[in-house]
């Protein structure tokens, strides 16, 4: 109680994620797809400030109130627990939007964790995950963080703690990709990508970078390129730098492994000549 009175404001960093691989394994009756994926957070962050206020408001450097998943997460939490407090949420976006990097989900997870702490709600990780899952399939992973094997529609998580740190270069075309549309297109066109997730995990854990591109894959790649044909040009820019790219999530961001920070930064500078946005990032554990 004392803590609740003292704490008026909280600052949180919300990290983006990549998918080292993504395989579709089935489809639920409600239309959601069952998947097996390997997700890991990377050092690209949105920053959020949550503070007690007279009314609920959300200020975001890129999106407005109701459209914002983070704000919707707060309103859902407030409704579920019949809370009387109001929050003002400020979000400074660095993570590209609609980019397959779970930026919106990371912000929503940060709001759920931040509100839980700020208001001393005492919710467990399981409580937060259940509420998070009702708002977005990537939110349970964003709440857990690190690196995980992800199954179900995104709610079954197994920690992968032995993956060493890697430097990556990330690139994004500068337009949003619609996740529901990509999944729907997948239902129509399927995928020819072969993915060996256990082998990808082994390679990552053992630091065998050069083997990864022959094992990893993203079965949403063809669907995303069908809907957004310009995406299929992005791999060429990576390949011209001697880097093997993989699409993250439902697109349109791509990433490639680099030998270290210097190579990742040089590649990002080079990629920026061809794509809207590129950055060097490090994986987080
Ligand atoms: O849950 P989220 O908002 O991330 O998903 C957006 C849409 O993507 C869903 O409404 C659904 O159409 C599709 N989706 C899916 N299977 C998943 C995740 C998302 O079909 N596992």
């Amino acid at each position: 109680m004392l803590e609740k009175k003292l704490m008026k404001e909280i600052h949180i960093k919300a990290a983006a994620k990549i998918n080292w691989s993504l395989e579709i394994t089935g489809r639920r009756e409600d239309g959601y797809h069952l998947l097996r994926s390997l997700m890991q957070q990377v050092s690209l962050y949105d920053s959020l400030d949550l503070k007690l206020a007279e009314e609920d408001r959300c200020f975001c450097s890129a999106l407005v109130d109701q459209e914002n998943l983070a704000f919707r997460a707060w309103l859902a939490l407030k409704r579920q627990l019949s809370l009387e407090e109001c929050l003002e949420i400020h979000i400074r976006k660095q993570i590209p939007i609609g980019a397959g990097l779970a930026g919106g989900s990371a912000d929503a997870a940060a709001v759920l964790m931040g509100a839980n702490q700020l208001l001393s709600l005492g919710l467990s990780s399981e409580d937060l995950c259940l509420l998070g899952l009702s708002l977005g399939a990537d939110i349970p992973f964003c709440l857990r963080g690190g690196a995980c094997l992800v199954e179900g529609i995104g709610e079954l998580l197994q920690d992968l703690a032995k993956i060493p740190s890697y430097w990556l270069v990330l690139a994004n075309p500068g337009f949003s990709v619609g996740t529901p549309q990509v999944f729907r297109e997948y239902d129509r066109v399927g995928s020819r990508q072969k993915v060996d997730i256990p082998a990808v995990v082994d390679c990552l854990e053992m630091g065998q970078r050069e083997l990864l591109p022959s094992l990893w894959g993203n079965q949403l790649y063809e669907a995303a390129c069908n809907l957004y044909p310009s995406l299929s040009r992005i791999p060429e820019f990576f390949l011209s730098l001697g880097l093997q790219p993989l699409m993250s999530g439902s697109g349109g961001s791509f990433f490639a492994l680099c030998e270290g920070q210097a190579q990742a930064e040089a590649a990002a500078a080079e990629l920026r000549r061809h794509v809207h946005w590129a950055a060097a990032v490090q994986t987080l554990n």
Side-chain angles (χ1 to χ4, degrees):
M1 264 330 223
L2 185 64
E3 197 188 334
K4 187 171 170 176
K5 285 221 171 74
L6 287 178
M7 201 194 283
K8 292 246 169 60
E9 188 164 350
I10 195 164
H11 176 75
I12 319 161
K13 275 166 57 169
K17 64 92 179 126
I18 53 142
N19 300 72
W20 288 112
S21 274
L22 194 158
E23 191 182 5
I24 311 283
T25 57
R27 194 159 176 265
R28 289 197 326 198
E29 279 186 2
D30 62 2
Y32 264 88
H33 293 74
L34 297 168
L35 45 87
R36 188 178 302 125
S37 184
L38 195 51
M39 295 189 190
Q40 184 158 21
Q41 285 181 312
V42 295
S43 60
L44 169 68
Y45 306 95
D46 288 344
S47 43
L48 292 91
D49 292 303
L50 270 57
K51 63 178 173 194
L52 290 171
E54 294 296 313
E55 59 176 319
D56 290 313
R57 296 176 77 182
C58 184
F59 301 91
C60 180
S61 57
L63 293 169
V64 287
D65 287 6
Q66 292 296 334
E67 292 172 55
N68 194 311
L69 188 57
F71 193 49
R72 282 196 274 130
W74 160 242
L75 296 177
L77 180 67
K78 176 168 171 152
R79 201 166 42 244
Q80 180 163 323
L81 301 186
S82 306
L83 300 173
E84 283 174 1
E85 290 92 339
C86 293
L87 284 190
E88 200 170 287
I89 301 171
H90 291 258
I91 307 174
R92 282 173 303 285
K93 297 248 9 133
Q94 296 281 333
I95 307 172
I97 293 167
L101 301 174
S105 301
D107 295 348
V111 162
L112 293 178
M113 286 189 285
N116 192 29
Q117 210 177 325
L118 184 69
L119 304 174
S120 306
L121 301 176
L123 294 173
S124 65
S125 318
E126 290 75 26
D127 295 333
L128 292 176
C129 263
L130 263 182
L131 177 59
L133 185 64
S134 71
L135 295 158
D138 286 341
I139 297 180
F141 169 75
C142 294
L143 287 162
R144 179 84 70 105
C148 285
L149 178 65
V150 179
E151 292 180 283
I153 65 162
E155 77 284 18
L156 303 175
L157 305 172
Q158 192 183 315
D159 290 319
L160 298 169
K162 288 188 284 181
I163 298 180
S165 186
Y166 291 101
W167 277 94
L168 309 171
V169 62
L170 273 178
N172 180 267
F175 55 81
S176 285
V177 163
T179 300
Q181 291 84 336
V182 171
F183 274 101
R184 265 204 304 278
E185 183 67 4
Y186 169 85
D187 289 336
R188 215 175 60 80
V189 298
S191 172
R192 273 175 292 146
Q193 301 251 330
K194 300 252 181 304
V195 191
D196 187 345
I197 291 190
V200 173
V201 175
D202 285 347
C203 268
L204 285 170
E205 289 183 344
M206 290 190 292
Q208 294 173 316
R209 282 191 293 118
E210 43 320 312
L211 283 181
L212 275 166
S214 63
L215 302 168
W216 71 19
N218 183 333
Q219 293 190 330
L220 293 175
Y221 175 71
E222 290 98 330
C225 289
N226 268 2
L227 291 178
Y228 306 91
S230 65
L231 286 183
S232 59
R233 290 202 53 214
I234 297 180
E236 293 167 26
F237 305 134
F238 282 83
L239 292 169
S240 71
L241 301 175
L243 298 171
Q244 296 277 348
L246 184 69
M247 190 179 84
S248 183
S250 53
S253 301
F254 289 76
F255 65 92
L257 271 163
C258 295
E259 278 165 25
Q261 182 171 5
Q263 191 196 21
E265 280 172 0
E270 205 46 48
L271 285 168
R272 270 181 224 118
R273 296 172 42 190
H274 305 284
V275 295
H276 177 76
W277 178 95
V281 299
Q282 205 172 10
T283 56
L284 305 175
N285 277 318

